Amino acid sequence: MAESEANQNDNAMEGTVPVSGMYENWFLDYASYVILDRAVPYIEDGLKPVQRRILHAMKELDDGRYNKVANIIGSTMQFHPHGDAAIGDAIVNLGQKDLLIDTQGNWGNTLTGDGAAAPRYIEARLSKFALEVAFNPKTTNWQLSYDGRKNEPVTLPMKFPLVLAQGVEGIAVGLSTKIMPHNFNELCDASIAYLKGRSFKLFPDFPAGGMVDVENYNYGERGGKIRVRAKIEEVDKKTVKITELPYGQTTTSLIDSILKANDKGKIKIKKIDDNTARNVEIIVHLPSNISPAIAIDALYAFTNCEVSISPNCCIIIEEKPVFTDVRTVLKICTDQTKELLRRELEIRKGELEDKLHMSSLEKIFIENRIYRDIEEEETWEGVIEAIDRGLEPFKPLLYREVTRDDIIRLTEIKIKRISKFDSFKADEHIRSLEEELKQVLHDLAHLIDYTIAYYERLIKKYGQGRERRTEIRTFETINATQVAVNNAKLYVDRVGGFIGTGLKKAEFVCDCSDIDDVIAFRKDGSMKVVRVSDKEFIGKNIIHLDVWKRGDERMTYNMVYTDGKDKRTYVKRFHVKSITRDRQYFLTKGKVAGRVLYFTANPHGEAETVTVKMKPGNNLRRKVFDYDFAELDIKGRAAGGNLLTKHPVNKVEFKSKGISTLGGIDIWFDDNVKRLNTDGIGQLLGSFMADDRVLVLYSDGSYELTTYELTNRYEGKGKIVEITRLAEDTVVSAIHQDGDSGRVYVKRFQIETSTADKKYTYINESPGSKLLFVTAKPGPVALIKFSRKTLEDESIVLEEFIDVKGWRAIGNKLTDERIRKVEMTSFREPVPEVEPEVAAEEGEFVPKDPNDIPFEVVDTREEEDNPKGEQGTLF
């Protein structure tokens, strides 16, 4: 009894499926469905299923006229088993891409984010481009629709890399895809290059324009990244204008991000005006104390004016999702296009051969009166046999064997056609078919050339107005701390040892931003860098507090301290370029607390003179003496410094202000990003001191003076011909054509203006005036190339042609002839000034001042504290 019950239980368990297994299978089925039928496009046509079904439904409705989108949605629902809202959104998305669908009505605005009107109000039809590249029922593979009532394409026979032109984004189960849109003409050019066996590049191009940095694009492969920016122009000192948007942003989202950054204190603006209609125009009004250049950098740093996008090229290949790159996708699409064109040629070849066969057969049948052979026949089979016998002598001339169907088609020829048969027209028709067949055979034999011609035809037919909209640029790295607006105030409680922005009743130090670092020095010779916060304990007896900038090579600290271990007094000058935040450092010789007697922070390496007063009660001859920090080299913060005296010091007092000992700053100009830098990138402009200026010469005949601040922006102001450091003897040489007289003049002038960040035009501003040549290099020699071929080229030494005059002067007339081009062939190198020490013989010291005699120095520090053999003066 027990055994029978156990057997029954075992039998019952055999058909049982564990719940965990059911969920696993169902989840895999669901994931596969979402990946293959919802989110990820197919490589064959670059479309998701809903998009494919929309285009197929529109093709069935196509009669050349517009259809209501509501009607298209209804037709698409015969093939797509989802709601009308999803289909309507997909149609609007396709229509806004302006490639496959011609639209009529209010389809929304991708710039502002405004939605389209209701489907019953807007209309659409397939574009001519879509009809040419996406449809051919003869090369389409078909399948039954979801309810089995209709046929729908498995994929459309797309003869174009559509997925790269439109771009796509989709989130599936366990994976996602994000393919950037690319330029129509560049895709065709890339396909042509691939077919010719050449290398090619592909970079994104966005409908809203903007700028893109593709340095890390990695051709869209997973793990790559691009940075996209809005285009921002400086209108005047109080206004900047956004004219193009970064990809994925609308004017609404962009303005919201600007307002949020303003509310958080990252940037400061007065107001924003959105004048966007057909083109983007967002006017940002700035407070009077905000520089437009810094404001533009701040917009990129803290708002959606710059966004980072991570492409992820995932596409369905052979019913599987594949992670690849856009170049591979283009190669596959190009190969598919070539195969589709081959199939179309093969189909056309068969059609032409069939037409030639029937045309020749009909001509033989009528001209040789074979139709009379059937007059005596009484049965259908007899008629067929009679015609076949009559054709027998001519069969070798035909393109293929004569079939029963061919004979039946001959019997269906009407008497009217036979009576009006024109042998000459028949021969012309056959000849035209033969010429077309010959061309088809040629195209099949030269399929690559035929495919190249196909892409060239697409560019010629549909490429106009599809030029690149997004500018490819290399973006500079914007230091957020340099462009952040000072939105907080820093206070210090020197006695209690607290610093922060919340100590409203304590001593005010400076304005700062909430992302700044603060450096604090204490009386015991210790130092610490912390992030700005509401309240932070640093330690008592704070002697100096300020905002700290990482990597600052100009800020120099001058210090006199008594060491806590050996009780001697030392002097040191040092930078603090890098540290670990929230870590305490000792600036004295050891880690024993010392006593700071004198401390200053000097933004440009100034070296003052101090008076040292010794403690009374000793036998020193000089109990008061002066010390000049200019005699001391600048070292790192870890250096112990030079020995000032081994005797006790009472106090150190400031005596007189000194000058900078750092010399000038070498400034470079990077033409790729149109920015100045100190990293040695681009063109060296020279060594700049505090009041030096940058001279910028533009192609429109204007110049501008700017400071050498690294936050300066030079893009958007015009094409830069030359940029250099302005020296006292700088002379600008220019050749320009006067718009009123048409004459060409030469002028040389020095810069007389001093206002920075303002453009001055030095040529006639009338229409037709143009700058032919300009340089600030000394002694230029210009080669004049005339438009008239009978005139020989002429070289002119400009400084011999005309003297230096005022910058408003028109100059001396060069010629009345039209000039085709002016080139600079050479220029005179400036003669460097020879320093007395350089002029002396090697090893000989020649002092500039008779009192400038070197003195003997004695090193008193331990070796471990003096790795580089620093020297000091012993008193």
Side-chain angles (χ1 to χ4, degrees), residues 607-672:
E608 68 271 25
T609 300
V610 296
T611 298
V612 181
K613 297 181 178 180
M614 310 299 292
K615 282 188 177 182
N618 52 49
N619 297 324
L620 295 174
R621 286 186 303 162
R622 291 193 303 166
K623 296 185 179 181
V624 177
F625 60 89
D626 294 337
Y627 181 80
D628 187 357
F629 275 98
E631 300 175 3
L632 189 62
D633 290 337
I634 301 173
K635 303 294 182 180
R637 57 170 172 76
N642 287 14
L643 179 65
L644 179 64
T645 177
K646 62 181 179 180
H647 302 288
V649 175
N650 186 29
K651 69 168 63 173
V652 179
E653 297 177 345
F654 172 81
K655 180 179 181 181
S656 62
K657 185 178 179 181
I659 61 173
S660 173
T661 60
L662 295 177
I665 305 175
D666 288 340
I667 300 292
W668 284 262
F669 177 72
D670 186 354
D671 190 55
N672 290 325

Side-chain angles (χ1 to χ4, degrees), residues 109 164 537 619 674 708 720 785:
N109 190 332
L164 299 182
F537 180 75
N619 297 324
K674 301 291 188 294
Y708 57 91
I720 297 176
K785 297 185 177 182

Side-chain angles (χ1 to χ4, degrees), residues 471-484:
E471 182 183 356
I472 297 176
R473 289 282 304 276
T474 300
F475 295 164
E476 74 281 11
T477 300
I478 297 175
N479 189 338
T481 58
Q482 290 183 351
V483 299

Side-chain angles (χ1 to χ4, degrees), residues 377-625:
E377 300 296 333
E378 297 180 354
T379 65
W380 176 250
E381 290 298 326
V383 170
I384 299 298
E385 292 176 1
I387 295 174
D388 189 41
R389 285 195 303 271
L391 294 173
E392 193 67 35
F394 305 99
K395 287 182 178 180
L397 302 176
L398 299 173
Y399 281 85
R400 58 175 173 80
E401 294 183 1
V402 179
T403 63
R404 181 182 178 88
D405 291 338
D406 294 339
I407 296 174
I408 292 174
R409 288 171 65 181
L410 291 175
T411 63
E412 295 172 351
I413 299 176
K414 296 181 179 180
I415 298 299
K416 187 176 181 180
R417 278 186 61 197
I418 295 176
S419 62
K420 291 187 175 183
F421 182 77
D422 188 329
S423 180
F424 176 77
K425 288 185 178 180
D427 289 340
E428 285 292 319
H429 178 63
I430 291 173
R431 191 175 299 112
S432 66
L433 291 175
E434 288 175 340
E435 290 176 357
E436 185 177 353
L437 178 61
K438 182 180 178 181
Q439 183 62 47
V440 169
L441 293 173
H442 176 272
D443 293 338
L444 280 170
H446 303 83
L447 188 58
I448 292 180
D449 293 337
Y450 179 73
T451 308
I452 291 172
Y454 168 79
Y455 280 111
E456 291 174 343
R457 188 167 65 253
L458 288 182
I459 295 175
K460 184 177 180 181
K461 196 171 182 180
Y462 305 106
Q464 290 186 353
R466 298 187 182 276
E467 292 78 17
R468 169 167 281 277
R469 298 180 183 178
T470 304
E471 182 183 356
I472 297 176
R473 289 282 304 276
T474 300
F475 295 164
E476 74 281 11
T477 300
I478 297 175
N479 189 338
T481 58
Q482 290 183 351
V483 299
V485 174
N486 290 332
N487 57 358
K489 295 184 181 296
L490 183 63
Y491 300 91
V492 59
D493 177 3
R494 298 183 187 274
V495 177
F498 289 94
I499 67 170
T501 58
L503 306 174
K504 305 297 184 181
K505 296 182 180 180
E507 177 189 342
F508 171 74
V509 178
C510 64
D511 292 323
C512 65
S513 74
D514 53 11
I515 62 173
D516 280 335
D517 288 322
V518 177
I519 189 167
F521 297 88
R522 295 169 57 205
K523 190 72 173 178
D524 62 358
S526 63
M527 176 201 79
K528 183 185 284 189
V529 174
V530 297
R531 179 73 79 185
V532 167
S533 62
D534 187 63
K535 186 177 182 181
E536 178 88 11
F537 180 75
I538 293 293
K540 296 183 179 182
N541 299 319
I542 299 172
I543 59 174
H544 180 75
L545 183 69
D546 202 356
V547 173
W548 178 72
K549 297 179 181 178
R550 183 178 296 273
D552 191 348
E553 296 183 349
R554 303 292 293 180
M555 177 61 78
T556 305
Y557 301 101
N558 299 339
M559 187 172 79
V560 181
Y561 73 92
T562 298
D563 187 61
K565 186 177 180 179
D566 62 18
K567 305 303 179 182
R568 296 182 177 188
T569 300
Y570 296 87
V571 291
K572 66 183 292 185
R573 302 181 71 206
F574 60 97
H575 297 307
V576 181
K577 295 187 287 186
S578 61
I579 48 82
T580 300
R581 192 183 290 122
D582 298 322
R583 176 182 171 185
Q584 180 170 277
Y585 295 88
F586 277 96
L587 303 172
T588 54
K589 290 188 63 178
K591 292 187 177 181
V592 179
R595 183 168 67 97
V596 177
L597 302 175
Y598 181 85
F599 186 93
T600 57
N602 306 279
H604 296 287
E606 293 85 356
E608 68 271 25
T609 300
V610 296
T611 298
V612 181
K613 297 181 178 180
M614 310 299 292
K615 282 188 177 182
N618 52 49
N619 297 324
L620 295 174
R621 286 186 303 162
R622 291 193 303 166
K623 296 185 179 181
V624 177
F625 60 89

Side-chain angles (χ1 to χ4, degrees), residues 763-780:
I763 66 173
N764 193 328
E765 297 186 41
S766 62
S769 298
K770 60 181 178 180
L771 181 68
L772 303 177
F773 171 86
V774 68
T775 184
K777 293 181 172 64

